[in-house]
Amino acid sequence: MRVLVLGGDGYLGWPTALHLSDRGHDTAVLDNMARRGYDRELGVQSLVPIEDLETRAAAWEEVSGKRMPTYVGDLLDAEFVYRVLTEFEPDAIVHFAEQRAAPYSMIDREHAVYTQHNNVVGTLNLMYAIAETNPDIHLVKLGTMGEYGTPNIDIEEGWLEVEHNGRKDRMLYPKKPGSFYHLSKVHDSHNLEFGCRIWGMRVTDLNQGVVYGQQTDQTVQDARLATRFDYDAVFGTVLNRFCIQAVLGEPLTVYGSGGQTRGFLDIRDTVECIRLAVENPADAGEFRVFNQMTESYSVSQLADLVAECFPGPVQVEHLENPRVEQAEHYYNVKHTGLVGLGLQPHLLSETLIESMFDIVSANKDRVDPAALLPTVRWQGHLKQ
Ligand code: NAD
Ligand code: USQ
């Protein structure tokens, strides 16, 4: 198949593009380099050094013999999006290209507006470009488990059978997200379901949990193929951060009691889930939703796991939670769709955590310890 990966310069987009290319798909990547710009804005850098997109694509061609065209441009530029779709003629598009950090979206009004404009309008431009160039294109869109929040009932895969006053209907599962970023994904999901229902688009919305890990079968083949690894309190995700903090001898920063529970998955499962979704397209008119996670853990459980695996002393510090989120709650998620397509999960094992320790040790001089501490507060704009 011909697959276009949007956001293909990012943490997950780059290894996914490599995985799809490795599996024989003609793969191209598109990115506007916004993520590298946020690094400059925040004064941080990936823990592992990364090459620019051209060097990465050239290295992949050298290693694999496979060419990977690159398109540098913005999804907010509708003409650019139409041009790329007309030129590359994809059968499937994988859409990672959004501002994805909850704390970044909560810095202030400007960052909230930027996040929702970038994410919602970018996706809307893409929907029109697909509908007007080739409505048969299967769109595989990255959503997030955080769209659901932490409701006190079981979380289904996107849809809920509702019985109300003696009548029944199948409705989109109600959403209770926890940041302006997570809300942007909810808005996307509604727009995409509308596109399927009204225009007959074919869409798979992947409500992904928090990803951990940094290496895949392809990225390890050459140092120039490495993907980014974020440790800072804005873009770094929790398990990656805990592994990094352990190696640096810094306390693991558990926000609040640590009872908050989330869905997680290994980066190697992310790339495989995308391949499975691409190779098994949604039907025309179908808004298909999968919950892309393999295990649930509370933040405290993760801190304990890292402390157990690390061969040295580890301190766990409970910081006042800068976010507004439930500390103790019910969490039971259905996630059988991708397993049904053939996913064989890599569950959190000591082996993976230990391999992360090695990656961090090799690059620890690149860390600015000041960037480890959270500075963005969910109610930061309110008068104290
Ligand atoms: P990332 O920030 O590393 O990558 C996103 C890429 O999209 C960046 O390279 C950025 O430059 C690009 N981009 C952003 N806006 C764009 C635009 N308007 N036009 C073109 N390119 C644009 O993020 P990631 O961690 O790789 O996440 C990828 C996707 O997966 C996101 O949509 C995110 O919401 C979702 N997701 C990530 C995680 C996780 O743990 N990392 C978990 C669940 C869902
Ligand atoms: N947390 C800590 N200590 C830390 C960092 C985080 O206790 O040092 C806690 C947070 O309070 C939160 C949980 O860990 O309860 C997860 O936080 P995170 O920063 O790892 O992840 P989150 O903000 O939820 O966002 C990440 C990605 C986002 C993706 C989301 C999946 O950045 O793109 O959508 O994971 S999900 O959480 O399922 O919505």
Side-chain angles (χ1 to χ4, degrees):
M1 290 169 85
R2 296 179 66 76
V3 189
L4 176 63
V5 178
L6 312 179
D9 187 52
Y11 169 51
L12 301 177
W14 173 243
T16 299
L18 293 180
H19 187 64
L20 293 169
S21 173
D22 199 34
R23 291 306 180 97
H25 298 294
D26 288 329
T27 307
V29 295
L30 177 154
D31 207 292
N32 69 347
M33 306 299 146
R35 181 70 192 80
R36 293 177 188 249
Y38 312 143
D39 276 353
R40 287 190 291 276
E41 176 191 349
L42 300 170
V44 293
Q45 60 179 351
S46 161
L47 178 95
V48 174
I50 51 169
E51 297 292 349
D52 64 47
L53 185 56
E54 291 313 312
T55 309
R56 286 173 150 183
W60 179 239
E61 190 167 347
E62 210 180 294
V63 168
S64 69
K66 293 178 168 125
R67 220 175 71 75
M68 190 182 286
T70 55
Y71 297 93
V72 176
D74 198 324
L75 292 187
L76 296 183
D77 176 352
E79 267 178 39
F80 166 74
V81 181
Y82 279 68
R83 182 173 66 70
V84 175
L85 265 55
T86 309
E87 201 175 296
F88 185 68
E89 296 187 324
D91 301 302
I93 297 179
V94 183
H95 180 15
F96 289 98
E98 298 200 329
Q99 190 301 99
R100 68 102 173 133
Y104 189 87
S105 76
M106 299 299 290
I107 292 175
D108 57 14
R109 182 199 60 80
E110 203 185 331
H111 289 82
V113 170
Y114 165 78
T115 299
Q116 294 213 347
H117 183 246
N118 184 62
N119 296 1
V120 178
V121 176
T123 300
L124 202 49
N125 281 340
L126 179 65
M127 284 176 63
Y128 268 91
I130 291 173
E132 291 179 3
T133 59
N134 175 11
D136 210 35
I137 293 172
H138 175 213
L139 174 60
V140 177
K141 164 72 169 52
L142 271 292
T144 181
M145 281 304 299
E147 290 184 41
Y148 302 112
T150 51
N152 197 31
I153 55 173
D154 293 344
I155 296 177
E156 305 295 327
E157 296 205 84
W159 293 89
L160 185 66
E161 297 285 341
V162 179
E163 190 172 343
H164 181 62
N165 291 347
R167 302 185 66 83
K168 286 185 185 169
D169 204 351
R170 180 173 179 262
M171 322 279 286
L172 278 184
Y173 192 96
K175 306 286 174 72
K176 245 197 302 188
S179 73
F180 284 120
Y181 151 70
H182 288 97
L183 273 155
S184 74
K185 296 282 191 184
V186 174
H187 304 327
D188 283 341
S189 294
H190 281 114
N191 285 345
L192 290 166
E193 189 274 336
F194 180 80
C196 293
R197 186 160 39 89
I198 306 302
W199 297 341
M201 287 183 75
R202 47 175 94 227
V203 174
T204 301
D205 201 10
L206 295 172
N207 284 338
Q208 182 169 243
V210 187
V211 182
Y212 57 83
Q214 191 262 343
Q215 293 179 332
T216 64
D217 290 348
Q218 292 78 36
T219 64
V220 293
Q221 292 178 25
D222 188 301
R224 293 168 297 170
L225 299 176
T227 195
R228 55 178 310 123
F229 199 32
D230 298 305
Y231 68 89
D232 61 283
V234 176
F235 275 90
T237 49
V238 64
L239 181 53
N240 289 348
R241 275 166 58 72
F242 285 176
C243 290
I244 292 166
Q245 289 163 340
V247 175
L248 294 174
E250 298 281 342
L252 312 194
T253 51
V254 172
Y255 297 165
S257 69
Q260 63 273 43
T261 301
R262 298 289 181 269
F264 291 86
L265 76 163
D266 186 309
I267 190 168
R268 294 171 295 181
D269 291 340
T270 291
V271 301
E272 186 58 4
C273 287
I274 305 288
R275 181 186 71 78
L276 290 167
V278 165
E279 291 179 2
N280 298 278
D283 292 335
E286 183 187 10
F287 180 67
R288 181 175 66 166
V289 184
F290 293 134
N291 292 340
Q292 185 167 312
M293 53 167 278
T294 59
E295 296 176 278
S296 300
Y297 285 96
S298 73
V299 168
S300 279
Q301 285 173 326
L302 288 181
D304 291 345
L305 199 62
V306 171
E308 268 168 39
C309 295
F310 187 69
V314 171
Q315 200 194 327
V316 175
E317 193 173 354
H318 288 262
L319 302 181
E320 188 189 336
N321 196 336
R323 307 185 182 196
V324 178
E325 54 189 359
Q326 282 181 286
E328 303 294 334
H329 56 87
Y330 180 74
Y331 202 65
N332 186 32
V333 182
K334 298 268 173 66
H335 50 94
T336 51
L338 286 158
V339 173
L341 290 183
L343 176 69
Q344 293 181 317
H346 293 83
L347 299 181
L348 201 50
S349 67
E350 294 194 10
T351 332
L352 185 273
I353 290 199
E354 279 162 8
S355 75
M356 286 210 273
F357 294 147
D358 293 340
I359 298 166
V360 182
S361 296
N363 296 285
K364 63 180 186 196
D365 295 342
R366 291 170 56 85
V367 173
D368 170 8
L372 287 166
L373 288 175
T375 50
V376 181
R377 296 176 53 238
W378 262 226
Q379 295 176 328
H381 63 291
L382 300 178
K383 288 208 171 74
Q384 299 304 306

